[in-house]
Amino acid sequence: MRISSIWYSFRQGVKNIRRNLLFSLASIGTIVSCLFLFGIFYAVVVNFKSAMKSLENSISISVFFNEDADIDLLAAQIRTREEVDTFDYITAEEAWLKYSNDTYDNPEEARAAFGDDNPLAKSASFSITLKDVSKQAEFVRFLEGLNGVRKVKSSQHTADTISSLNMFVGYASMGIILILLLVSIFLISNTVTIGITVRKEEIKIMKLIGATNFFVRAPFIVEGVIIGLIGSAIPLVLIYYAYDAILNYVVGRLTLIKKLFEFVSLSELFKVLVPVTLLIGVGIGFLGSIFTTKRHLKI
């Protein structure tokens, strides 16, 4: 395609937007609304996933073993499993220290009362967290089958709850995103259809003098892409300032929430959100224009 043809298609695409300004603004507004909701939803989902990951990391499996067990062999067998995220060896002294600190109002007095007699002398254990808590049940069965393992303590109910929540959020996200995309494509399709109707006679003349289908369609594709690009850039700016304001508010005033829940940073959120949102916006405009022109440009 020659430079002059590209420039013509671009100019005609811009003219189409200006000619059908009301419908173009409606399409842009719809994309802005849809992608703004998408961005907010994405931010919520990412922070939810982050919170779930933190919760997963707090769910540990404790493995207690017999006194005559080969601890080094057990540790080697467990560490080699790909499900393992963290692995720590808790001595009996460390177990008693933690238990006394968590249980007694005055842990130092409690430890002094027991003296050298450690009530948890046989409570040395491995503390293990998994990369994916949905695999906990299978991993626990593996642990229980190891020679020398006396007892395995796990939080299967909590792990099942987290897995169910993650699955629900995943399916809900895909459903909502699909609905938003279909609405945006529908609006852009209507805008392009109006542009084709307005220029129907002009397009007919262009076809009669030998214009190719691509040459005729190109301005409408440019129109859809520009609408999609503008509609995706605006919500990114809005979400950026909104999310930044929320982070500053939480850090400045809601320190308790900050201690309980660590928000995903602005840079980490936007390094994915920016390219995805722009791609979706431009993709919606491009696909909406392609489908519409194929349907209506049979002149």
Side-chain angles (χ1 to χ4, degrees), residues 56-174:
E56 286 180 16
N57 292 337
S58 68
I59 298 175
S60 61
I61 301 172
S62 297
V63 181
F64 301 90
F65 29 80
N66 300 324
E67 292 183 31
D68 59 347
D70 188 338
I71 296 177
D72 292 334
L73 178 60
L74 283 174
Q77 289 175 312
I78 295 172
R79 278 198 176 104
T80 55
R81 298 280 295 194
E82 61 179 13
E83 304 101 314
V84 175
D85 186 23
T86 63
F87 179 94
D88 295 300
Y89 174 60
I90 310 298
T91 65
E93 291 72 21
E94 290 171 336
W96 168 229
L97 181 65
K98 183 179 185 304
Y99 178 81
S100 60
N101 287 334
D102 294 341
T103 306
Y104 299 107
D105 294 331
N106 194 328
E108 292 183 359
E109 286 187 5
R111 288 194 293 269
F114 281 93
D116 295 332
D117 184 18
N118 184 350
L120 301 180
K122 297 182 180 180
S123 296
S125 64
F126 296 139
S127 179
I128 306 164
T129 61
L130 303 181
K131 297 174 183 176
D132 184 357
V133 293
S134 65
K135 298 180 179 180
Q136 181 171 283
E138 179 185 349
F139 186 72
V140 168
R141 286 194 295 271
F142 159 75
L143 294 174
E144 290 173 341
L146 292 176
N147 186 32
V149 171
R150 174 168 54 88
K151 182 180 180 183
V152 178
K153 290 181 63 177
S154 62
S155 303
Q156 188 58 48
H157 177 71
T158 304
D160 290 341
T161 301
I162 292 175
S163 298
S164 299
L165 279 173
N166 282 330
M167 186 178 298
F168 172 77
V169 170
Y171 285 128
S173 303
M174 289 188 288

Side-chain angles (χ1 to χ4, degrees), residues 24-84:
S24 297
L25 290 176
S27 295
I28 291 173
T30 302
I31 294 176
V32 168
S33 301
C34 290
L35 291 184
F36 181 77
L37 291 174
F38 165 77
I40 295 296
F41 191 72
Y42 175 78
V44 171
V45 169
V46 168
N47 280 283
F48 175 82
K49 292 283 187 180
S50 176
M52 289 297 100
K53 185 62 179 176
S54 298
L55 185 58
E56 286 180 16
N57 292 337
S58 68
I59 298 175
S60 61
I61 301 172
S62 297
V63 181
F64 301 90
F65 29 80
N66 300 324
E67 292 183 31
D68 59 347
D70 188 338
I71 296 177
D72 292 334
L73 178 60
L74 283 174
Q77 289 175 312
I78 295 172
R79 278 198 176 104
T80 55
R81 298 280 295 194
E82 61 179 13
E83 304 101 314
V84 175

Side-chain angles (χ1 to χ4, degrees), residues 197-236:
T197 303
V198 171
R199 297 182 61 207
K200 197 166 187 177
E201 293 302 320
E202 179 185 342
I203 292 169
K204 185 181 293 185
I205 294 171
M206 291 170 65
K207 294 284 287 184
L208 288 174
I209 62 176
T212 64
N213 287 332
F214 180 78
F215 185 81
V216 174
R217 288 178 179 140
F220 298 104
I221 295 173
V222 170
E223 176 186 356
V225 169
I226 291 175
I227 289 174
L229 186 61
I230 295 173
S232 59
I234 293 174
L236 283 174

Side-chain angles (χ1 to χ4, degrees), residues 233-254:
I234 293 174
L236 283 174
V237 175
L238 296 176
I239 294 170
Y240 179 89
Y241 286 106
Y243 194 77
D244 185 53
I246 291 172
L247 289 182
N248 290 332
Y249 182 83
V250 170
V251 171
R253 300 188 181 184
L254 305 177

